[in-house]
Amino acid sequence: QAVRDSWRAFWSSRIIVWVAGMAAVLAFGWSEHHAARLDPLYLTLPFDDDFSNLLVAPAARFDSAWYLAIAQHGYDATGRPAFFPLLPGLIRLMGDSAGAQVVAGIALSSVCGVVGLYLLHRLVTLDFDLRHARAVVWLAAWFPGALALSAVYSEALFLVLSIGSIYAARLGRWPAAGVLGG
């Protein structure tokens, strides 16, 4: 039940986010001025064709460029230390097998988003029934801020680690709770 509820809530919301994001790019175009300023290395546009770049566009915006730059080039003195290293490190590890680091980031965030919703469902069922757990998962997946759950941002990773830590603590699995919380 928890797997099905989490899967449906996540992917139904992602379809809407993706279609709207691609429609916005098609309607308003690529802003070359802002792209050069926010992503001077063009890491959010990794492909040679416009269609492939359009497919990743909804998930590769703004801070995604920072995470991708850290994954490819490491930290330097230009403000990158403001970003925690776990997400860029995981993107770097997955990047070669995924074909492009932006694809690895999208895949990582999407997996973390689904797993985070699953753990949220399991956490809610500790105190409430399945109907309440399903409602919480759907609200979390459709909350406007959930836009970041499939983007190359750290929010999905933070969700899975924080909910995982709380869930492990509720089950009395203190070593797991500590590792996930750390």
Side-chain angles (χ1 to χ4, degrees):
Q1 190 72 27
V3 171
R4 184 177 66 223
D5 290 342
S6 303
W7 186 260
R8 287 180 180 172
F10 182 81
W11 288 110
S12 65
S13 65
R14 297 307 90 191
I15 289 169
I16 299 299
V17 165
W18 233 264
V19 169
M22 290 189 312
V25 170
L26 290 173
F28 300 109
W30 303 95
S31 176
E32 289 300 321
H33 170 71
H34 293 297
R37 186 172 54 86
L38 296 173
D39 184 11
L41 302 175
Y42 291 95
L43 298 173
T44 59
L45 300 170
F47 303 108
D48 293 333
D49 64 296
D50 288 338
F51 181 72
S52 297
N53 286 325
L54 177 65
L55 287 178
V56 299
R61 297 271 135 313
F62 306 111
D63 284 350
S64 298
W66 288 104
Y67 288 115
L68 293 169
I70 294 167
Q72 285 188 9
H73 306 291
Y75 290 92
D76 63 16
T78 61
R80 291 183 194 156
F83 296 93
F84 289 111
L86 184 57
L87 180 66
L90 292 172
I91 290 171
R92 184 172 183 97
L93 286 175
M94 294 175 55
D96 293 334
S97 61
Q101 288 188 338
V102 70
V103 173
I106 293 167
L108 178 64
S109 290
S110 295
V111 168
C112 287
V114 171
V115 173
L117 292 175
Y118 168 79
L119 291 172
L120 182 62
H121 190 288
R122 301 296 300 153
L123 180 63
V124 172
T125 57
L126 293 177
D127 295 320
F128 299 99
D129 61 6
L130 288 175
R131 185 176 58 89
H132 285 93
R134 183 178 299 123
V136 167
V137 165
W138 279 83
L139 286 171
W142 283 88
F143 177 72
L147 169 74
L149 291 183
S150 57
V152 185
Y153 290 167
S154 61
E155 280 78 355
L157 181 60
F158 178 75
L159 176 73
V160 75
L161 293 174
S162 60
I163 297 294
S165 178
I166 294 167
Y167 183 61
R170 286 291 310 274
L171 296 178
R173 297 179 182 156
W174 297 107
V179 168
L180 293 170

